[in-house]
Amino acid sequence: MLDVSAMAMADLPSDHPGITDQNYRRRRTAIALAADEYEPGRPIPRIDYTAEEREVWHTVSTELGAKHHQLACAAYLDAADRLALPTDEVPQLDDVSGRLAALTGFRIAPVPGLVPTRRFYGSLADRCFLSTQYIRHHSAPFYTPEPDVIHELIGHANALGGRDFAQLYELAGQASRRATTEEALDFFSRVFWFTIEFGLVWERGELRTYGAGLLSSYGEIDAFRSAEVRPFDIEAMGTQHYDIAAFQPILFAAESFDQVVTDLGSWFDRFGR
C-alpha cells in the first residue's frame, strides 16, 4: 500500500504548475490511493472529480478535438469516434475500459503514477493499458510535465478504439518482453517513442500525426510540422536521442498509416526472436 503521508510530500517535476499548491498535492495523493487499492477483476474506483477538474478536461478535450481534425491522421480520428469520450466530464476509467473491451479487447487498469518501464510496456502484451486518474493543475490546462488522465485517454485510449492501433500496442508489449537486455529495451523504447508516442504519417500531401504524445499536447501538436522530419526508419529511430522535457526537434514520418501498421507491426513481431 502507498505511504500516503510520504506521497503527499512526494517530489513533483520542478516545472510542475502545482508544485507549491498543497491542496492539489493532497488531491493527487487521494486519487493515487484509490488506484493503489484497486484489485484486478474488480471495478476501477470511480473518482468524484471536482468542478475545477471537470472544467480542465472540458477545456482541453474541446480544444484538442478541434486541432485533431486538422492534424491527426484518419485512423486516429476514426478510432476516437468509435470510443466517443465525453467532453463535458472527466471519463471514468471503468467506463472507458468497458467500451474498449467491446471495441478491441483492450482494458484499462489504474495506477497511482509512473510505473517501471518494463511493467508499462509488458502490460500491453495482455491488452491492458495502465493509466493514471489524476488531472493536470488548473492554472495551466494546456501543459503538463508528466502523463495525466488527459494524455492517457485522449492520446492513448482514443487510439486503442481502433483495431489496427490495438494490434500495434499488443505487438509492442510482446516485443518489450523479449527485450532481455537493457540495451535491447533502450532500442525498443526509442522506436516506441518515435512511433506510438510521436509518429507522423503523410496523408493527402500533408503531415499528420498518430502519436499519443502529440495528440494530447495542445502546444506541440501545433509545432510538429516545424520539426526536422525524416523518413520512417526503424534503425534510425532506435538510435536517435530524445528529450522528454522539450518539443521534439526530430521526428519520423511514414508514407502512410498502412506503412506504420505493416512495417512497425512486422518489426515488433520480429524483435527479440
Side-chain angles (χ1 to χ4, degrees):
M1 297 294 290
L2 290 172
D3 181 342
V4 180
S5 61
M7 188 169 181
M9 300 305 294
D11 289 337
L12 292 177
S14 60
D15 62 342
H16 197 293
I19 194 168
T20 62
D21 185 340
Q22 295 306 313
N23 289 332
Y24 176 77
R25 296 176 73 168
R26 282 191 289 270
R27 175 67 172 160
R28 285 276 297 263
T29 298
I31 293 174
L33 181 59
D36 188 58
E37 293 176 340
Y38 169 72
E39 296 178 6
R42 298 179 64 86
I44 298 172
R46 302 183 79 84
I47 304 300
D48 185 15
Y49 289 103
T50 67
E52 191 171 66
E53 290 166 337
R54 293 195 299 272
E55 181 61 25
V56 170
W57 172 269
H58 173 72
T59 298
V60 179
S61 62
T62 300
E63 293 293 331
L64 279 176
K67 291 180 181 292
H68 289 165
H69 285 286
Q70 293 181 316
L71 299 166
C73 74
Y76 171 85
L77 292 174
D78 179 66
D81 283 346
R82 285 158 56 87
L83 185 60
L85 293 175
T87 59
D88 58 339
E89 61 183 358
V90 187
Q92 296 291 337
L93 293 193
D94 201 55
D95 297 339
V96 180
S97 185
R99 179 67 175 152
L100 283 178
L103 289 172
T104 63
F106 249 87
R107 61 186 175 87
I108 293 178
V111 290
L114 292 174
V115 299
T117 300
R118 287 188 180 276
R119 181 186 171 196
F120 173 77
Y121 289 141
S123 69
L124 300 177
D126 302 319
R127 292 216 163 197
C128 177
F129 182 80
L130 303 181
S131 175
T132 56
Q133 290 175 286
Y134 53 78
I135 198 164
R136 60 197 59 181
H137 196 262
H138 61 87
S139 67
F142 296 120
Y143 171 74
T144 177
E146 60 181 348
D148 70 338
V149 71
I150 290 176
H151 169 75
E152 317 282 37
L153 297 188
I154 292 179
H156 290 289
N158 266 341
L160 289 169
R163 294 184 181 87
D164 286 337
F165 277 111
Q167 180 68 8
L168 284 174
Y169 275 67
E170 182 182 14
L171 289 171
Q174 293 169 354
S176 76
R177 288 181 172 175
R178 296 191 297 271
T180 56
T181 67
E182 290 307 307
E183 291 77 12
L185 183 64
D186 179 69
F187 191 95
F188 166 85
S189 296
R190 292 171 190 268
V191 173
F192 190 96
W193 178 266
F194 286 109
T195 55
I196 302 299
E197 291 286 359
F198 285 89
L200 307 179
V201 294
W202 287 99
E203 283 187 352
R204 300 185 296 277
E206 293 185 332
L207 275 175
R208 292 182 172 245
T209 182
Y210 63 93
L214 292 172
L215 291 162
S216 61
S217 173
Y218 183 84
E220 195 160 8
I221 195 173
D222 275 335
F224 74 80
R225 287 174 173 171
S226 298
E228 178 186 338
V229 179
R230 299 178 180 178
F232 188 89
D233 184 325
I234 295 290
E235 292 300 316
M237 288 186 279
T239 56
Q240 179 61 47
H241 171 75
Y242 62 88
D243 180 356
I244 64 173
F247 283 10
Q248 303 306 302
I250 296 172
L251 296 171
F252 295 84
E255 294 178 2
S256 66
F257 188 69
D258 285 344
Q259 183 188 15
V260 176
V261 173
T262 300
D263 292 1
L264 182 61
S266 295
W267 183 81
F268 281 150
D269 193 44
R270 295 191 311 271
F271 183 75
R273 294 188 187 277

